[in-house]
């Protein structure tokens, strides 16, 4: 299991959760990341797959950043005209992770093309995040 110390090392972000809360966060992230990678279960982390631990840590960082609200209201202004709109910042975080860790995702993904964000029964992971 990814430790809080490993999370700090791989992300540069310090967290201090209770053991119970951290275990829950990592467990959910393992399930979600395994699903996105079209794996039946998330592999056990060892010294031989530290790149996977780094991917998991940064995946968790992306999830925690947008915890409680995936859509963020943004505004853009040009001269005296302003428009407000919702953006899917969580999706942007996953897109950034996919770009930064493409080699690791390719190594472990069973989808054939990186993350799969929507799977249908028997689909063979044919709907991708678009990276």
């Amino acid at each position: 299991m990814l430790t809080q110390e490993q999370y700090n090392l791989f992300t540069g972000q310090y967290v201090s959760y209770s053991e119970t809360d951290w275990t829950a966060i990592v467990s959910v992230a393992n399930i979600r990341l395994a699903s996105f990678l079209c794996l039946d279960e998330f592999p056990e982390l060892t010294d031989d797959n530290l790149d996977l631990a780094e991917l998991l840590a940064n995946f968790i960082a992306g999830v925690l950043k947008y915890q409680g609200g995936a859509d963020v209201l943004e505004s853009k202004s040009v001269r005296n005209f302003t428009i407000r709109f919702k953006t899917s910042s969580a999706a942007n975080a996953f897109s950034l992770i996919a770009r930064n860790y493409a080699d690791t995702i390719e190594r472990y993904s069973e989808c054939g093309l990186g993350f799969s964000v929507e799977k249908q029964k028997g689909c063979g992971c044919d709907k991708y995040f678009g990276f």
Side-chain angles (χ1 to χ4, degrees):
M1 182 175 102
L2 186 76
T3 66
Q4 292 185 63
E5 292 78 17
Q6 288 172 315
Y7 176 87
N8 182 27
L9 174 68
F10 293 132
T11 66
Q13 299 174 11
Y14 177 77
V15 292
S16 179
Y17 289 98
S18 70
E19 190 64 33
T20 302
D21 289 348
W22 182 249
T23 298
I25 289 167
V26 173
S27 295
V28 169
N30 282 347
I31 292 166
R32 292 192 69 204
L33 187 54
S35 177
F36 288 159
L37 294 172
C38 299
L39 302 172
D40 291 331
E41 63 183 35
F42 196 78
E44 183 178 337
L45 298 176
T46 67
D47 289 341
D48 294 330
N49 62 6
L50 288 177
D51 56 341
L52 189 59
E54 181 181 31
L55 174 63
L56 177 61
N58 283 281
F59 180 80
I60 291 170
V63 170
L64 291 177
K65 182 174 182 178
Y66 298 103
Q67 179 178 342
D71 292 329
V72 175
L73 190 62
E74 287 190 16
S75 64
K76 299 234 176 182
S77 298
V78 177
R79 296 187 186 160
N80 63 347
F81 181 75
T82 301
I83 185 169
R84 291 182 172 264
F85 55 95
K86 284 188 175 186
T87 62
S88 181
S89 298
N92 292 338
F94 295 137
S95 179
L96 181 63
I97 291 166
R99 275 195 311 273
N100 290 343
Y101 299 97
D103 57 334
T104 304
I105 291 169
E106 183 179 340
R107 184 174 304 118
Y108 295 100
S109 177
E110 294 293 326
C111 302
L113 256 184
F115 281 136
S116 170
V117 295
E118 186 176 328
K119 292 197 284 188
Q120 298 173 358
K121 187 174 182 179
C123 79
C125 299
D126 59 351
K127 296 198 179 202
Y128 296 97
F129 222 17
F131 7 97

